[in-house]
């Protein structure tokens, strides 16, 4: 039987990485963009359009990455719990079959 490469630890780490990256991305990237736009030689209309586009992209990515990371953390917990239940059930069934 083919074993899946999706293990609870891998899913948990991806969830943690996506959650932290999403939070940092949402918090830090707009501040860096606003700092870069504050240069005195910047053109106003072009920079405002790019800033609005960057703000839109940051909001969309922030709205996707952080909840996805949290969902992966929850999925890893469920995967570990179900895996333990299945292992315990297989162990009980193996004990029952050896008694017969």
């Amino acid at each position: 039987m083919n074993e899946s490469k999706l293990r609870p630890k891998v899913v948990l780490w991806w969830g943690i990485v996506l959650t932290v990256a999403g939070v940092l991305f949402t918090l830090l990237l707009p501040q860096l963009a606003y700092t870069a736009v504050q240069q005195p030689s910047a053109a106003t209309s072009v920079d405002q359009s790019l800033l609005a586009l960057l703000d839109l992209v940051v909001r969309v990515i922030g709205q996707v990455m952080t909840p996805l990371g949290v969902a992966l953390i929850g999925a890893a917990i469920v995967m570990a719990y179900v895996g333990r239940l299945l292992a315990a059930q297989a162990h009980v069934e193996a004990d029952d079959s050896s008694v017969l």
Side-chain angles (χ1 to χ4, degrees):
M1 182 177 189
N2 288 338
E3 296 270 337
S4 174
K5 291 184 180 182
L6 287 176
R7 302 271 183 238
K9 277 188 178 179
V10 174
V11 175
L12 177 67
W13 280 109
W14 272 104
I16 291 170
V17 167
L18 281 176
T19 302
V20 170
V23 168
L24 290 176
F25 189 78
T26 303
L27 291 177
L28 298 179
L29 197 60
Q31 298 302 322
L32 293 174
Y34 290 130
T35 303
V37 170
Q38 295 297 328
Q39 301 301 325
S41 64
T44 351
S45 63
V46 174
D47 286 340
Q48 291 301 319
S49 299
L50 289 176
L51 191 58
L53 179 66
L54 179 68
D55 184 49
L56 177 67
V57 169
V58 167
R59 285 180 193 232
V60 168
I61 291 174
Q63 292 289 323
V64 171
M65 278 179 74
T66 305
L68 179 63
V70 171
L72 286 176
I73 291 170
I77 293 169
V78 171
M79 287 171 65
Y81 179 74
V82 169
R84 285 189 181 167
L85 284 179
L86 291 176
Q89 183 181 13
H91 182 64
V92 167
E93 288 176 0
D95 287 345
D96 287 344
S97 65
S98 66
V99 171
L100 297 175

